[in-house]
Amino acid sequence: MCCFILFRFFIDAYTNLQGFWIPVTAFVVSTLLAPKFQAVKTNDGEKLFMKWIFIKGIREIK
């Protein structure tokens, strides 16, 4: 949510987009750049994993 608002401000300030295209572009950019989370049940219990475009591979969150 915070990323969307930040990207919306920057897109509005630094591009020539108008109207409907400002929030649509901010949504697409924030969706692509946001980390993806997934909870997986294992024999050790439920674990949380994260995948992000700026980090190689998948990381376990403890």
Side-chain angles (χ1 to χ4, degrees):
M1 180 71 173
C2 180
C3 292
F4 171 76
I5 295 169
L6 183 68
F7 287 130
R8 186 164 195 247
F9 170 75
F10 283 123
I11 289 169
D12 188 27
Y14 296 110
T15 67
N16 292 327
L17 294 176
Q18 296 177 352
F20 178 71
W21 293 107
I22 295 169
V24 169
T25 306
F27 169 76
V28 170
V29 170
S30 62
T31 301
L32 292 174
L33 295 180
K36 311 307 186 256
F37 295 94
Q38 184 174 8
V40 178
K41 290 185 180 181
T42 63
N43 293 336
D44 297 333
E46 193 169 12
K47 294 187 178 186
L48 188 62
F49 293 94
M50 177 187 78
K51 183 178 181 181
W52 197 22
I53 192 170
F54 300 112
I55 298 174
K56 188 175 182 179
I58 298 172
R59 295 242 174 125
E60 179 184 346
I61 300 173
K62 297 183 181 186

